[in-house]
Amino acid sequence: MKASWRTMVWYFLKPYPWFFIGIVVMTMLTSLLEGLNVAAFFPVFQSLLGGGEVAGEGVLGAIVAVSARLPFRDPVVSAAALLVSITVLKCVLTVLREGLVAYASGMVQHDVKTRLMQSYVVAPYAFFLEKKQWKLSYDVLVAASRVGALIR
């Protein structure tokens, strides 16, 4: 009986649960900052266009309140500083997330190739006679790389 694709993927990825939890958390934080980055334009427009007061509730009210608490006299500078700081923080988290994804992908790929090569080392000579040389090379070079690419 052939295993389902979920069973096969889980077999290769289950030794690394903390990588995936970290990737999911970093992705959620980056997504949250992406939304805040769009909302951070509101105080800039409000200060440039001379908009009225915003109700203190909701995301826009919180963004305007944070912008007003920054230690700058000019509201345009405060709003721009908030926008730049949120953008920089989002970019830093995006780079960290991509680094974590690359590291986890490399670890999974390395471990799969190592396990595969160790199974080849202890395999009997008849195993190599039964298998085609291209199949053995494909398993080590290409198939193991695709397991690492599952994380990306």
Side-chain angles (χ1 to χ4, degrees):
M1 184 164 126
K2 189 174 182 179
S4 70
W5 66 271
R6 289 181 183 161
T7 306
M8 289 186 286
V9 169
W10 182 245
Y11 172 77
F12 290 110
L13 302 182
K14 72 180 172 186
Y16 314 98
W18 293 110
F19 281 137
F20 300 111
I21 291 171
I23 290 169
V24 167
V25 168
M26 293 291 281
T27 301
M28 296 297 236
L29 287 174
T30 304
S31 299
L32 177 70
L33 285 175
E34 188 72 40
L36 286 177
N37 196 20
V38 171
F41 277 103
F42 184 74
V44 174
F45 293 142
Q46 184 184 23
S47 60
L48 286 176
L49 300 175
E53 281 295 314
V54 176
E57 299 177 8
V59 175
L60 293 179
I63 293 284
V64 169
V66 169
S67 175
R69 289 186 185 146
L70 291 178
F72 301 108
R73 289 185 182 168
D74 191 7
V76 175
V77 174
S78 293
L82 179 65
L83 180 64
V84 167
S85 63
I86 289 174
T87 302
V88 167
L89 183 62
K90 179 186 66 101
C91 289
V92 167
L93 279 177
T94 301
V95 168
L96 289 175
R97 186 196 69 213
E98 291 298 321
L100 180 62
V101 167
Y103 180 75
S105 176
M107 286 292 294
V108 169
Q109 183 176 346
H110 175 266
D111 289 349
V112 168
K113 284 184 177 185
T114 302
R115 284 194 278 173
L116 191 57
M117 289 303 292
Q118 286 174 348
S119 70
Y120 286 172
V121 167
V122 298
Y125 183 67
F127 171 79
F128 294 101
L129 293 177
E130 294 171 3
K131 297 289 183 181
K132 303 285 186 197
Q133 182 180 1
W134 66 267
K135 175 69 171 128
L136 297 172
S137 298
Y138 175 82
D139 288 345
V140 172
L141 299 174
V142 178
S145 299
R146 291 189 181 180
V147 172
L150 285 174
I151 300 171
R152 296 183 204 138

